[in-house]
Amino acid sequence: MHSFAPEILLITILSLVVFSDALANRLKIPSVFILLIGSYLVYTYFKVAVPIDLSENFTTVILFCIPLIFMGDALHLHFSDIKKHAWSIFYLAVVAVALSIIVGASLHYFDIFSGLSLGAYVALFAINMATDAVSVQSVLSRFDGIGHDIKVLIEGESLGNDATAVIAFFFIGLPWMIEGHIDALDVSIDALRVFSVSSVVGLVLGYSFYMVMKLYSNKRGELFSFIVEAYVAYVLAEHIHVSGILTLIVAIVSTKAWIDADLANSQVKKDKTFLQKLRLGGFLTTTHERLEYIYEMAKEFGYIASVLIFFALAEMVDFHKLWEYRVEILTMFAITTLIRAAMMAKFAFLGQKLDTIKPVGADGWFILTFSGMKGALSIILVHMIPDSFEYKEMFESVTIGVVVLSIFVYGITLWAYFSFFRKKKNDTKIFEKVSH
């Protein structure tokens, strides 16, 4: 008897996506709400539709999904937008995340979570400060009135935030939590090594795939090249013990940046510079029309991967444990929300004082604060904690609770804000300084 488990699982995922989109459009709500609830109900009460043992294949499923999720998000970032908002994205994605983890870890001295070491606090807050770009985009795409610039900040922050959280977790929090101590100098050097090597490898791969894509000219080949690039970047980086997610992001963004440069230069009749000649600037890698196709298909691949992650989340959900750790879940959710609100307020304040930081005002502060939904990466990170760690059950329960609460509470807050309170359909005031 043949096993049709992969086919049945694909039918389930695609059907759930179609149903969620249709119902979301009818109810005028973000589809991620329906996807999350639907995934749990199908996995729990209709097992025949998910004939793969996710508990046994959890790691394989997770590792398969990571490149697809981050590839789609990285492709949506234009290099011109990154340059325009570079310092803003750096603050949101690196400085704010690092400060948030430090603030969270400092609560160790108040013994908020009894029995945890300082290293465990660092790991726990690194896990729960990682945002989920797919959940954020699913919610925000439902609303009018969010302009291009604020979307760039949200998308850039979400991607960079994930890379920072991963480095903080794997190279600081996890070893500190497991070993009980770390050497500050060694950790700093190792984190710098990871960041540097990941970035260099990403740039080399990005340039290599950019040049390879000049050899053919069709949208399917270009889409598949990006997918292959994402997987190669992630696998290679993890193999040499650096950050697979950061390497993947740098690779995809750099390939896309060189493609954008080619397309921009093709519109201007001028002599090619040495660098343009070096990268064969006269040969276009793709076109604007084919890029739109690639964006849409990459988004769909990422969406399907996210549904798989939601099924994995359903495997981890145990309502008895969630109830047992309800105080810790609500405490962590409240603390992470307050810390994020404070960091976004600091960002809004700096925007009024520094020319390098874009001013967002109260409106932008609110949108950025409640765009901090958690998701796939938090689930991935908490799963990577060794089973021997005595507080793993608590970590998993707290993380699952925070992920679900952030999606529904933040999502409903944004939905209510845009549906009932924010009447203006543009964000012209978001990037204006307050006059004194």
Side-chain angles (χ1 to χ4, degrees):
M1 176 69 75
H2 296 292
S3 171
F4 295 101
E7 292 87 347
I8 294 172
L9 181 60
L10 183 60
I11 291 170
T12 301
I13 291 174
L14 296 182
S15 299
L16 189 57
V17 169
V18 171
F19 172 77
S20 299
D21 285 343
L23 190 56
N25 288 330
R26 179 65 60 89
L27 299 177
K28 306 299 182 184
I29 62 174
S31 61
V32 68
F33 297 165
I34 303 171
L35 272 177
L36 190 57
I37 296 172
S39 298
Y40 175 77
L41 292 176
V42 169
Y43 188 80
T44 305
Y45 299 107
F46 196 53
K47 287 283 190 180
V48 67
V50 189
I52 293 178
D53 188 347
L54 288 181
S55 60
E56 182 179 336
N57 300 285
F58 191 93
T59 301
T60 301
V61 170
I62 292 293
L63 294 179
F64 174 78
C65 291
I66 289 176
L68 293 178
I69 291 172
F70 286 94
M71 176 196 70
D73 298 332
L75 275 173
H76 278 78
L77 280 177
H78 294 273
F79 188 65
S80 58
D81 290 326
I82 296 175
K83 288 195 299 182
K84 180 180 178 181
H85 300 293
W87 287 109
S88 298
I89 293 174
F90 178 77
Y91 172 86
L92 293 170
V94 179
V95 177
V97 179
L99 289 175
S100 297
I101 294 172
I102 292 171
V103 171
S106 68
L107 297 176
H108 167 261
Y109 298 102
F110 299 97
D111 201 26
I112 301 294
F113 302 107
S114 181
L116 295 186
S117 65
L118 182 56
Y121 271 81
V122 173
L124 184 61
F125 276 90
I127 291 170
N128 287 280
M129 284 299 175
T131 57
D132 182 61
V134 174
S135 296
V136 172
Q137 287 181 11
S138 174
V139 172
L140 294 183
S141 63
R142 176 62 55 186
F143 309 125
D144 295 325
I146 305 179
H148 177 72
D149 285 325
I150 199 70
K151 285 183 178 179
V152 169
L153 290 185
I154 292 170
E155 292 173 359
E157 184 257 344
S158 184
L159 277 175
N161 171 309
D162 290 346
T164 303
V166 165
I167 292 175
F169 174 76
F170 280 112
F171 298 95
I172 301 176
L174 188 60
W176 194 353
M177 179 176 72
I178 301 302
E179 298 172 13
H181 63 87
I182 57 172
D183 184 283
L185 179 60
D186 288 344
V187 166
S188 300
I189 293 174
D190 198 36
L192 182 61
R193 175 191 68 83
V194 170
F195 179 82
S196 302
V197 175
S198 299
S199 299
V200 170
V201 172
L203 286 170
V204 171
L205 287 174
Y207 180 78
S208 300
F209 275 87
Y210 160 73
M211 294 300 291
V212 167
M213 288 172 67
K214 288 179 178 289
L215 300 177
Y216 44 85
S217 181
N218 66 84
K219 60 186 180 182
R220 183 169 60 187
E222 291 158 11
L223 170 65
F224 289 171
S225 290
F226 276 117
I227 295 174
V228 171
E229 180 180 3
Y231 278 102
V232 168
Y234 184 77
V235 172
L236 177 61
E238 292 295 320
H239 180 71
I240 61 177
H241 304 295
V242 292
S243 174
I245 290 176
L246 178 58
T247 304
L248 184 160
I249 293 171
V250 172
I252 298 295
V253 169
S254 59
T255 298
K256 178 64 168 43
W258 282 309
I259 289 174
D260 287 343
D262 280 355
L263 293 175
N265 290 328
S266 68
Q267 306 299 319
V268 181
K269 301 298 184 181
K270 62 179 183 179
D271 294 334
K272 301 294 182 183
T273 65
F274 172 74
L275 290 178
Q276 290 171 348
K277 292 178 180 178
L278 186 64
R279 65 171 194 262
L280 303 179
F283 297 89
L284 291 182
T285 306
T286 186
T287 64
H288 290 291
E289 292 74 19
R290 296 206 299 270
L291 273 180
E292 289 300 320
Y293 165 84
I294 292 170
Y295 293 155
E296 288 303 314
M297 292 303 298
K299 183 172 68 174
E300 296 308 321
F301 277 118
Y303 206 56
I304 291 172
S306 292
V307 177
L308 265 177
I309 296 293
F310 284 154
F311 280 130
L313 175 62
E315 164 65 30
M316 297 173 68
V317 168
D318 184 327
F319 283 108
H320 294 293
K321 291 181 181 178
L322 293 179
W323 180 253
E324 179 183 348
Y325 292 105
R326 62 191 182 279
V327 174
E328 288 85 352
I329 291 171
L330 292 173
T331 300
M332 174 58 80
F333 178 70
I335 290 172
T336 52
T337 300
L338 290 173
I339 290 175
R340 183 171 178 88
M343 293 302 158
M344 295 305 113
K346 180 66 174 178
F347 176 69
F349 172 78
L350 291 174
Q352 296 298 325
K353 302 298 180 182
L354 303 175
D355 292 334
T356 53
I357 300 292
K358 296 298 181 181
V360 296
D363 197 38
W365 166 80
F366 186 88
I367 296 171
L368 286 168
T369 296
F370 289 99
S371 295
M373 282 161 273
K374 316 303 185 291
L377 185 59
S378 295
I379 298 168
I380 292 165
L381 294 181
V382 77
H383 178 69
M384 296 299 179
I385 296 175
D387 292 335
S388 58
F389 179 59
E390 61 176 317
Y391 294 102
K392 182 172 182 177
E393 180 182 286
M394 189 270 274
F395 271 51
E396 287 184 338
S397 298
V398 167
T399 300
I400 291 169
V402 169
V403 167
V404 174
L405 282 174
S406 69
I407 290 176
F408 282 102
V409 175
Y410 290 3
I412 291 173
T413 300
L414 287 173
W415 173 77
Y417 177 66
F418 282 99
S419 299
F420 304 110
F421 298 103
R422 192 169 188 263
K423 302 302 182 183
K424 295 180 180 179
K425 299 302 181 183
N426 58 70
D427 66 345
T428 55
K429 289 189 176 181
I430 285 183
F431 293 99
E432 293 179 1
K433 290 185 181 294
V434 176
S435 59
H436 299 284

